[in-house]
Amino acid sequence: MSQILDLVGIFVFALSGALMGVRKRLDAVGMLVLAGMTALGGGVLRDLVLNVRPIAFQSLGYVLVPVAATVIVFFWHPHVARVMPAILVLDAAGLGLFCAVGTEKALEYGLNPLHATLLGVTTAVGGGMLRDVLAGEIPTLLYDRQLYAVPAMLGSGAMAALSAWGLHGWPATLAAAVLAFGLRVTAMRRNWRAPLARGVSE
Amino acid sequence: MSQILDLVGIFVFALSGALMGVRKRLDAVGMLVLAGMTALGGGVLRDLVLNVRPIAFQSLGYVLVPVAATVIVFFWHPHVARVMPAILVLDAAGLGLFCAVGTEKALEYGLNPLHATLLGVTTAVGGGMLRDVLAGEIPTLLYDRQLYAVPAMLGSGAMAALSAWGLHGWPATLAAAVLAFGLRVTAMRRNWRAPLARGVSE
Amino acid sequence: MSQILDLVGIFVFALSGALMGVRKRLDAVGMLVLAGMTALGGGVLRDLVLNVRPIAFQSLGYVLVPVAATVIVFFWHPHVARVMPAILVLDAAGLGLFCAVGTEKALEYGLNPLHATLLGVTTAVGGGMLRDVLAGEIPTLLYDRQLYAVPAMLGSGAMAALSAWGLHGWPATLAAAVLAFGLRVTAMRRNWRAPLARGVSE
């Protein structure tokens, strides 16, 4: 079950990477690289920090799903772009899932709750940041004032808290993922915005 | 033998990094950083994924060769730039060698053929991508439509296939490297181009 | 003692990251990400190469100090910017300390003096380079011709030499750090400049 959810998250993140490739007029290779980086980058960073072999280099699906997403975007990107609102919701689901699963794995490897939360957020937002840097842009989440990292932070923190209270297993993971997902979707709908430093005009 | 070929590949990659430094009007430190990143970055990424200490931090030659390449470019870069056509051929040799050796090392550490191929390509193209990102540019291989990553992919795949068929040792490595090299040189000569997504005009 | 000095270095590096965030008009999340990357990035890279869990994910202070630096810059950045000359001196202290401590840790993990020096320099300058790349700029130290990496190189080399001569412990670390710090401050005062490649006009 969590394996399937994980692959859904990877698929959605890979779509966003491949679409960025189309927008920047990259070729097929560039689209594939951005798709793979977006989908797998956060998990690879997490596993490098945990000092284990990245899961992206152990499981077949982790390689095939970004390839499939790239093929779909290559041939049908106008349709994919048209359903972007739906994709943004799926992306929020991927964000929620990745932060919950990332935090859980970090706790399993013995990190304390604070560092596990930090690593969960890294898992959730790392791939998107790599995508933006490779595409020659400042990572969106650094400046666009949408709440993207903050829901991941709260979801990861919730996962760490639940675990500290002895609540483990997929219900806890799902609860943390749903919290981050709900916050992210609400932030989009209500247009909640991160503050600028005091005195910096909009 | 493979040690010498490896150092030749590092030398050529370091030349391309240092030349990029001259083109971007970086100072001597910037030239050295770009030379080192280009030459060693791919191998460091590979070894981090394999969870072993990067070979660049174990062997003397891996540090000295980029320094030597930087010194040469610092004093004689107009001559080096003039022989760029020859350097592009040497770069293709480096690409072939790095993808074959990278895939071989990944297989030795127990990755399956698909993931070993992926890691071989990472070894071959990772350094150049880091060079471009540090120089403030979108990595060339994402947009320039030349076939650069694709020959590495086929060379890595051939290495993994030969190994799966029980063919090991330097003849197999050399065959895979020559395949990638030949494809890369042919792609340059015939100006083969990677496709853009459907409907994106040139 | 060295723990406190380490946290001072992290604090100063985090200030410089958060200030870069204000300058680029990033939001609060972007300021925090840049602060954390600048402060912790070099040490994380070092620990990944050494194949150990990054210290930033083990110690509470390493997470809290960048948060504190971001809060300070968020509310009082005009004052912080006004004391930038003092901060540049503190940054030089951080540079000296990070290169000495980084080299020492690399030697402890069995790297030879040359590679330990290289890793010490990576520790000292890696965070600032990540900050610049994330902020969409070419890393300052690649082109601005100030001597920034060179003092780190000499400090790291001194640390490795002292250790090779049997001198260990905090007096040796402090001596190497003071050397790099002194060279960096002198380079700033006298405006020493790194050379451009021969024939490249200023």
Side-chain angles (χ1 to χ4, degrees), chain C residues 25-50:
Chain C
R25 303 177 54 80
L26 306 184
D27 60 31
V29 171
M31 291 172 64
L32 181 58
V33 171
L34 283 199
M37 280 286 180
T38 313
L40 309 177
V44 169
L45 289 177
R46 175 200 63 206
D47 293 344
L48 290 180
V49 167
L50 292 178

Side-chain angles (χ1 to χ4, degrees), chain A residues 22 24-31 33 48 51-54 56-60 63 74-75 77 133-136, chain B residues 48-51 109 111 114-115 118-119 129 133 138-139 141-143 145 149-150 194-198 200-202:
Chain A
V22 174
K24 306 284 287 190
R25 301 178 54 80
L26 306 183
D27 61 29
V29 171
M31 290 171 64
V33 171
L48 290 180
N51 214 3
V52 296
R53 179 165 301 167
F57 287 91
Q58 293 183 334
S59 153
L60 199 63
V63 178
F74 187 89
F75 285 108
H77 58 93
V133 167
L134 283 176
Chain B
L48 290 180
V49 166
L50 292 178
N51 214 4
Y109 279 85
L111 266 63
L114 180 73
H115 294 114
L118 179 60
L119 201 51
M129 288 179 64
V133 167
I138 298 177
L141 71 87
L142 298 188
Y143 66 84
R145 307 189 54 195
V150 172
L196 296 174
R198 198 161 72 169
V200 175
S201 60
E202 310 234 335

Side-chain angles (χ1 to χ4, degrees), chain A residues 56-140:
Chain A
F57 287 91
Q58 293 183 334
S59 153
L60 199 63
Y62 283 67
V63 178
L64 298 185
V65 166
V67 172
T70 303
V71 169
I72 289 168
V73 171
F74 187 89
F75 285 108
W76 297 286
H77 58 93
H79 307 280
V80 178
R82 206 179 306 138
V83 296
M84 261 323 270
I87 289 194
L88 281 176
V89 173
L90 280 174
D91 180 86
L95 183 80
L97 197 82
F98 277 30
C99 76
V101 170
T103 307
E104 193 181 23
K105 184 162 183 179
L107 291 166
E108 274 167 26
Y109 279 84
L111 265 63
N112 67 38
L114 180 72
H115 294 115
T117 300
L118 179 60
L119 201 52
V121 176
T122 304
T123 310
V125 307
M129 289 179 66
L130 286 171
R131 172 198 64 207
D132 294 345
V133 167
L134 283 176
E137 306 202 334
I138 298 178
T140 317

Side-chain angles (χ1 to χ4, degrees), chain B residues 22 24-34 37 40 44 48 51-64 73-78 133-136, chain C residues 48-51 106 109-112 114-116 118-119 122 129 133 137-147 149-150 153 194-202:
Chain B
V22 175
K24 306 283 286 190
R25 302 178 54 79
L26 306 184
D27 61 30
V29 171
M31 291 171 64
L32 182 57
V33 171
L34 283 199
M37 280 285 180
L40 309 177
V44 168
L48 290 180
N51 214 4
V52 296
R53 180 165 300 167
I55 184 125
F57 287 90
Q58 293 184 336
S59 153
L60 198 63
Y62 281 66
V63 178
L64 298 185
V73 171
F74 187 89
F75 286 109
W76 297 286
H77 59 90
V133 167
L134 284 177
Chain C
L48 290 180
V49 167
L50 292 178
N51 213 3
Y109 279 83
L111 265 63
N112 68 37
L114 180 74
H115 294 114
L118 178 60
L119 200 51
T122 304
M129 288 179 66
V133 167
E137 307 202 336
I138 298 177
T140 318
L141 72 84
L142 298 188
Y143 65 87
D144 81 345
R145 308 190 55 194
Q146 286 200 26
L147 296 188
V150 172
M153 224 176 281
L196 295 175
R198 198 161 72 169
V200 174
S201 60
E202 310 231 337

